[in-house]
Amino acid sequence: MSELLAEELIAAIGLVRRRLRRSAGRPFPLSALTDSQAELVRTVRRNPGISVAEAAAELGLVANTVSTLVGRLTERGLLQRTPDASDRRVARLTLTEPAREQVEAWRDRRTALVSGVLDDLTPDERDALVAALPVLTGLAERLHPEEQLRKERV
C-alpha cells in the first residue's frame, strides 16, 4: 500500500509542478539557470540575509557547492553577497533588486494561476487540500537530507 501511495503522490506532485512551470514559465533571469541555481535564488528570496552555510543546509548541499553557485549568481547580477556585521567570515545573501522584482512577479503569476484553479474546486475539494497541507509539509520535512542523516545515526 505505501509503495503505491508513494508512486501516486510523486506522480501527482510532479504533474502539478510541470503544468505550473509550463503555465507560469520562469522569471526571465532564472530561465537560463540550472535547477540548483534557481532553487538557491528562491531560497534567498524566502530568506533574505541567509548565510551560505544556512542555504547549504536548507538545500541539502555542501557549503562549497553553494559557494560556487553564489559566485556564478553574483557574476550574473542576481545575488549580492555582503559580509556579516558581527562575523566578517560569514557572507549574507540577498537578491539584487532586478532579480527580486522578476522573481516576485513570477511568484505572483504562479499564485494567480493556482488561485484561479482553486476557485473552481468544490468546497469539499478545497477542504481536502487544506487538511492535506500539514501532512505534505511534514512529509517534506521528513525527506529533508538532515532528517535522513539523523534517522541513519539512530
Side-chain angles (χ1 to χ4, degrees), residues 48-117:
I50 192 170
S51 72
V52 172
E54 292 164 342
E58 175 75 20
L59 297 169
L61 300 170
V62 295
N64 286 347
T65 300
V66 173
S67 186
T68 300
L69 294 171
V70 167
R72 290 185 180 136
L73 293 169
T74 300
E75 288 171 5
R76 295 179 79 158
L78 299 174
L79 287 184
Q80 289 179 311
R81 181 191 338 211
T82 55
D84 185 273
S86 61
D87 185 349
R88 307 293 279 173
R89 297 170 297 173
V90 175
R92 296 286 169 189
L93 306 174
T94 55
L95 294 180
T96 61
E97 189 60 24
R100 187 190 61 74
E101 289 172 1
Q102 289 284 335
V103 171
E104 288 181 2
W106 171 70
R107 182 202 61 209
D108 292 347
R109 280 195 313 272
R110 289 171 34 129
T111 299
L113 282 166
V114 174
S115 292
V117 172

Side-chain angles (χ1 to χ4, degrees):
M1 176 66 178
S2 290
E3 285 184 24
L4 179 60
L5 178 58
E7 289 177 12
E8 290 178 1
L9 179 63
I10 292 166
I13 291 171
L15 183 61
V16 168
R17 287 182 59 89
R18 284 189 304 278
R19 297 230 170 124
L20 187 55
R21 188 172 44 245
R22 286 183 191 124
S23 296
R26 280 181 139 175
F28 172 71
L30 301 187
S31 61
L33 300 183
T34 67
D35 288 342
S36 295
Q37 290 170 329
E39 188 60 31
L40 176 57
V41 168
R42 286 190 294 271
T43 298
V44 172
R45 186 200 57 80
R46 287 190 307 269
N47 306 284
I50 192 170
S51 72
V52 172
E54 292 164 342
E58 175 75 20
L59 297 169
L61 300 170
V62 295
N64 286 347
T65 300
V66 173
S67 186
T68 300
L69 294 171
V70 167
R72 290 185 180 136
L73 293 169
T74 300
E75 288 171 5
R76 295 179 79 158
L78 299 174
L79 287 184
Q80 289 179 311
R81 181 191 338 211
T82 55
D84 185 273
S86 61
D87 185 349
R88 307 293 279 173
R89 297 170 297 173
V90 175
R92 296 286 169 189
L93 306 174
T94 55
L95 294 180
T96 61
E97 189 60 24
R100 187 190 61 74
E101 289 172 1
Q102 289 284 335
V103 171
E104 288 181 2
W106 171 70
R107 182 202 61 209
D108 292 347
R109 280 195 313 272
R110 289 171 34 129
T111 299
L113 282 166
V114 174
S115 292
V117 172
L118 290 174
D119 288 344
D120 292 339
L121 297 178
T122 67
D124 287 344
E125 289 170 325
R126 279 193 301 278
D127 289 346
L129 280 174
V130 169
L133 289 175
V135 177
L136 290 170
T137 301
L139 178 65
E141 288 299 318
R142 289 181 178 137
L143 289 170
H144 194 280
E146 286 183 3
E147 178 67 16
Q148 296 299 314
L149 286 173
R150 188 192 65 74
K151 285 173 70 174
E152 290 173 6
R153 285 184 224 145
V154 173

